[in-house]
Amino acid sequence: MKIVLVTTTFAIGGAEKQVRDLAAMFFEKGHEVLIISLKGPTQQIVPEGVKLIELFGQKSVVGLVGVVWRLSKILKNWGPDVVHGHMVVANIISRIAAIRLRNVVVVSSAHSVNEGGSDIRLLAYRLTDRFSDMTTNASQHAVDSYLKMKASKRGKICVANNGIDFDRYRFSAEVRAHVRSEFGLNAETPLCLAVGRLVEAKDYPNLIDAFARVVKILPLAKLIIVGSGPLSDSLQQKVEDIGLSSSIQLIGMRTDIPELMSAADLFVLSSAWEGAPLVILEALASQLPITATDCGGVADNLNGFGRLIPVADSVALATGIVEELSLKRVRNDPVLIEARRNALDRFSLEAIARRWISLYKALYLRKIGVELQ
């Protein structure tokens, strides 16, 4: 098959990472793959064998019209079997750009219950829904939210889980010692790790407030927050204002997440809202204990493992962190081994890629009038 993956950006983020990994897997399985990024910056590594086209769209009416026109021209010349949009802007634009294409499957994937959609974007989503063969979201909670918002209709939206390469996320005692040494930590220092863009959805102020309570009980505990984003300066200022600079480090964007997960004792997710965060799967694959807020598809991903905390409750989050750290779990704990095995069965990248190809083929046959029994 010839598959075009259209993404709003190709920066560092869970949705962009999923596009990258799916593109690599599709190519490995013998499909021709093109990634089209509507605007910058590009921060992902383009998989071998996969072509990337960047349109560098501008945020204006003229800019959007130009992007639609250029995308339409690229699609016509490339002749895809599937046009698969990722994230709200890419979904709307790819639907419009593919209108004139015959017998081309158009899929629109959202990755959260809230992708920053304004009322105007939601209206555009509704109006262009007719041009999409299927809309997906990353969890049942997110699908239900989209139905409630009338962003799509029953029968035209389904759950499509994200997947990860589990081979990249394996605990290593040697790596653990090396990374902890890099941060000046000894073997006994309780280390918490949070990973995600520094944006409102991740609710890092809640995590910082919670950790202020944690260090009153566990004074040696440390927290590393990985990520970049518009709230970077304000979060750093908050850490300094409450006197936690020696306990909390914001280390910016990193590419060594598997290594950092080996070094940590606990993964913490403090989000106010989510779709089905890949980083939870990465922690499960790393056999890393997890304390996370109960939002979006987090509970679905954990599937009974880990510790769930109410959203926006710093006291409960602090209690969950302290209780989990106090267990002093080792990485060969049978519970952590089983958590990894359970996640692998459901979310391996290869299995997810196979499901996508099956969906593409089923939608194509339906499009040309072949009914499946």
Side-chain angles (χ1 to χ4, degrees):
M1 301 181 79
K2 296 185 73 174
I3 303 168
V4 175
L5 302 175
V6 184
T7 180
T8 303
T9 72
F10 205 43
I12 297 298
E16 292 90 342
K17 186 187 296 184
Q18 188 67 182
V19 170
R20 179 201 67 196
D21 289 348
L22 284 175
M25 186 59 67
F26 290 157
F27 177 78
E28 183 180 312
K29 298 300 181 184
H31 303 283
E32 194 172 347
V33 186
L34 169 64
I35 299 172
I36 300 177
S37 173
L38 301 185
K39 61 180 183 179
T42 290
Q43 296 169 314
Q44 295 288 347
I45 296 173
V46 181
E48 183 178 353
V50 175
K51 185 178 180 181
L52 169 69
I53 296 178
E54 300 167 285
L55 299 185
F56 301 106
Q58 300 300 310
K59 194 174 181 180
S60 66
V61 173
V62 173
L64 288 174
V65 171
V67 166
V68 171
W69 183 82
R70 283 182 286 160
L71 178 58
S72 179
K73 188 175 180 180
I74 292 168
L75 295 178
K76 183 179 178 180
N77 290 338
W78 207 67
D81 301 300
V82 177
V83 176
H84 187 169
H86 290 266
M87 296 178 286
V88 60
V89 174
N91 290 339
I92 294 168
I93 288 178
S94 61
R95 290 169 177 179
I96 298 170
I99 287 175
R100 293 178 178 272
L101 302 180
R102 288 175 54 83
N103 295 332
V104 174
V105 170
V106 178
V107 178
S108 304
S109 285
H111 292 264
S112 178
V113 296
N114 183 349
E115 292 191 325
S118 63
D119 290 342
I120 293 175
R121 284 183 179 179
L122 180 57
L123 177 61
Y125 219 77
R126 291 170 179 166
L127 293 176
T128 59
D129 182 59
R130 70 189 73 181
F131 305 126
S132 180
D133 296 292
M134 183 63 71
T135 294
T136 74
N137 213 322
S139 69
Q140 187 60 53
H141 175 78
V143 166
D144 292 341
S145 294
Y146 265 51
L147 287 170
K148 186 176 181 180
M149 292 188 296
K150 298 182 179 179
S152 189
K153 302 179 181 68
R154 293 192 183 278
K156 282 197 67 177
I157 186 169
C158 66
V159 176
N161 296 128
N162 292 324
I164 66 165
D165 181 356
F166 276 73
D167 288 338
R168 290 191 66 228
Y169 295 90
R170 291 183 180 276
F171 172 71
S172 165
E174 182 179 352
V175 168
R176 175 182 173 85
H178 175 76
V179 175
R180 290 174 77 91
S181 175
E182 175 189 332
F183 285 96
L185 306 176
N186 63 41
E188 304 304 317
T189 303
L191 177 60
C192 298
L193 176 68
V195 179
R197 293 193 68 232
L198 308 184
V199 294
E200 182 183 358
K202 304 304 179 183
D203 201 4
Y204 285 122
N206 177 41
L207 176 55
I208 293 170
D209 287 339
F211 212 74
R213 294 176 178 274
V214 171
V215 295
K216 290 179 180 178
I217 302 169
L218 301 172
L220 298 180
K222 306 294 182 183
L223 169 64
I224 290 175
I225 299 176
V226 182
S228 60
L231 300 184
S232 177
D233 290 344
S234 63
L235 291 172
Q236 183 61 54
Q237 189 62 54
K238 181 178 177 66
V239 169
E240 293 172 6
D241 287 346
I242 59 178
L244 286 181
S245 297
S246 63
S247 300
I248 301 176
Q249 291 188 63
L250 284 79
I251 63 172
M253 187 170 62
R254 301 275 292 229
T255 58
D256 57 345
I257 304 303
E259 291 78 7
L260 290 168
M261 287 193 171
S262 278
D265 298 298
L266 178 66
F267 182 79
V268 184
L269 185 138
S270 57
S271 297
W273 66 84
E274 285 282 358
L278 285 172
V279 71
I280 288 290
L281 302 182
E282 292 165 0
L284 288 169
S286 303
Q287 293 172 215
L288 180 60
I290 298 169
T291 294
T293 47
D294 189 3
C295 61
V298 172
D300 291 341
N301 280 7
L302 287 175
N303 199 32
F305 298 97
R307 188 180 297 266
L308 285 171
I309 303 298
V311 169
D313 187 336
S314 60
V315 176
L317 184 58
T319 301
I321 292 171
V322 170
E323 289 179 350
E324 194 62 49
L325 286 175
S326 297
L327 293 175
K328 296 184 178 180
R329 295 184 190 270
V330 293
R331 292 302 181 89
N332 61 355
D333 186 314
V335 172
L336 299 179
I337 293 173
E338 180 57 28
R340 185 184 200 277
R341 184 181 299 117
N342 181 276
L344 176 61
D345 289 344
R346 298 184 298 141
F347 300 112
S348 74
L349 185 62
E350 184 168 357
I352 297 301
R354 282 200 305 268
R355 289 176 210 164
W356 276 122
I357 296 301
S358 295
L359 178 62
Y360 295 158
K361 289 179 178 178
L363 291 173
Y364 177 77
L365 290 174
R366 189 173 74 182
K367 201 171 191 76
I368 64 175
V370 177
E371 293 296 330
L372 296 178
Q373 301 298 319

